Amino acid sequence: MTDPAINIRHAQAKDIPVLCELLQQLFSIEQDFTPDLEKQSAGLQLLLAKPERGAILVAQQVGGKVIGMVSAQLVISTAQGTPAAWIEDMIVDAGYRGQGLGRQLLDSILTWAKAQGATRAQLLVDMDNQPAIAYYDHLGWNTTRLQARNIYL
């Protein structure tokens, strides 16, 4: 259900400070990441500067307060032969959860991804974040047999 008091829109540079606050909430939950205002701000600026490669959507109340965000970046899927979307940074401010805002954000970013030609979307979820796992299960996201790995360069 779409809440008419919430506007889902593309993020702008002026949103970066509040997006960093949201990322601080997210990264304080996840074990693999540490909040770092300078790094998060730089990453958001890079993503906003390349709209052909990705998008950041925000949930904004009628009064102007940004209370949630989600980002996606496009990659080329050799399995699909099309673009695919990596969904990242999905967070709704703790005081506004349970109202359907996360679903609105995800639906909107998936609509954006489809418009870019993506035929698959994928996301990572912290293995210890049971509420997030249950949430994505509830929304119909599939668990895969793949495991994420990383290395810092």
Side-chain angles (χ1 to χ4, degrees):
M1 175 191 287
T2 301
D3 183 342
I6 301 296
N7 179 37
I8 305 295
R9 64 168 176 80
H10 285 268
Q12 302 167 2
K14 69 178 182 172
D15 298 316
I16 289 177
V18 72
L19 298 181
C20 286
E21 291 175 20
L22 289 167
L23 289 174
Q24 183 173 0
Q25 285 185 46
L26 179 63
F27 295 159
S28 68
I29 297 168
E30 295 179 344
Q31 292 189 35
D32 286 348
F33 302 107
T34 303
D36 182 318
L37 179 64
E38 191 173 306
K39 288 180 180 178
Q40 275 81 72
S41 180
L44 292 165
Q45 289 174 42
L46 285 170
L47 192 50
L48 288 174
K50 303 277 187 178
E52 70 281 2
R53 294 179 58 187
I56 305 169
L57 300 182
V58 299
Q60 181 179 27
Q61 291 180 310
V62 171
K65 182 178 180 183
V66 172
I67 57 175
M69 68 177 287
V70 64
S71 66
Q73 297 182 53
L74 297 174
V75 297
I76 302 302
S77 168
T78 55
Q80 296 290 117
T82 64
W86 274 102
I87 309 298
E88 294 192 333
D89 303 331
M90 171 59 194
I91 182 77
V92 172
D93 184 272
Y96 298 91
R97 293 181 189 152
Q99 301 176 30
L101 300 176
R103 181 174 215 134
Q104 283 182 256
L105 283 165
L106 282 170
D107 287 349
S108 296
I109 204 74
L110 293 175
T111 297
W112 172 86
K114 287 178 193 175
Q116 309 311 307
T119 60
R120 184 183 76 225
Q122 52 211 16
L123 56 79
L124 299 174
V125 61
D126 189 301
M127 298 293 292
D128 294 322
N129 188 344
Q130 289 304 315
I133 292 169
Y135 179 70
Y136 292 119
D137 285 345
H138 169 74
L139 294 180
W141 286 76
N142 301 310
T143 300
T144 71
R145 300 284 304 152
L146 301 174
Q147 181 185 60
R149 302 284 175 118
N150 72 21
I151 190 168
Y152 290 98
L153 307 176

